[in-house]
Amino acid sequence: DIQMTQSPSSLSASVGDRVSITCRASQGIRNGLGWYQQKPGKAPKRLIYAASSLQSGVPSRFSGSGSGTEFTLTISSLQPEDFATYYCLQYNSFPWTFGQGTKVEIK
Amino acid sequence: QVQLVESGGGVVQPGRSLRLSCEASGFNFRSHGMHWVRQAPGKGLEWVAIIWYDASNEYYVDPVKGRFTISRDNSKNTLYLQMNSLRAEDTAVYYCAREPPGGSLDVWGQGTTVTVSS
């Protein structure tokens, strides 16, 4: 199985900050990676697919990069509504696997 | 609008069974692979199972193999998860999700809660 190591597990940031979250795959997954945002009590919401494609309707301050084994989600200017938990998902091979999550909190 | 609605969750004793349903609307259900994902209380997301668009193939995460069965009825636009021999560690919110062309999961239901407890 492919292990997804996500870091950091949590971070504190201020509105307007640039924030980056990383996922490392235990083996190459090409560009089969998505990023999700989850708020308490809600279902996850897809932000990025195919490592760097922005989901329709998602603000352009979100971007994804990477290929192979290392991937990054960047929020260019953190907004109040972005405080949430973020997960990566590899879908290159079964079983699909999620990263452990990154909780983004207000500093 | 595109929507997935889960049902069937509840409180069940260890060793018993439960069947979850996920009713789809607003899109061509029979054209999409469908998945179940779960989230234990206070924990992260865990992918559980997939069924191909035509039910020709399935795949499961190891902890549920042999106990859970994913199925679908394309005439009813409904996805199912039959859960047998339930354990305390199966306690979670269960989400169904749609796989778009190219992969990943783009539409999610609101989730249904399963609690396994004596």
Side-chain angles (χ1 to χ4, degrees), chain B residues 4 26 30 33-34 52 59-60 69 81-82 88 95 100:
Chain B
L4 297 170
R30 65 183 67 230
M34 294 295 298
W52 263 235
Y59 205 99
Y60 301 89
T69 301
L81 187 67
Q82 177 67 43
Y95 297 99

Side-chain angles (χ1 to χ4, degrees), chain B residues 8 13 16 19-20 22 27 32 37 39 49 69 81 87 90 92 100-102 104-105 111:
Chain B
Q13 293 179 328
R16 304 298 289 262
R19 189 178 83 155
L20 306 182
C22 169
F27 67 97
H32 290 267
V37 174
Q39 186 169 36
T69 301
L81 187 67
R87 305 167 180 168
D90 297 318
S104 87
L105 303 170

Side-chain angles (χ1 to χ4, degrees), chain B residues 11 16 18 44-46 53-54 58 60 67-68 77 97 103:
Chain B
V11 180
R16 304 298 289 262
L18 204 60
L45 300 168
E46 180 180 38
Y53 70 99
D54 58 357
E58 306 154 26
Y60 301 89
R67 299 188 300 122
F68 289 12
N77 290 344

Side-chain angles (χ1 to χ4, degrees), chain B residues 6 20 36-39 48 64 68 81 83 86 89-96 110-114:
Chain B
E6 302 96 336
L20 306 182
W36 288 98
V37 174
R38 66 183 180 181
Q39 186 169 36
V48 173
V64 310
F68 289 12
L81 187 67
M83 304 185 295
L86 282 161
E89 54 266 35
D90 297 318
T91 294
V93 175
Y94 285 75
Y95 297 99
C96 62
Q110 84 288 352
T112 188
T113 300
V114 173

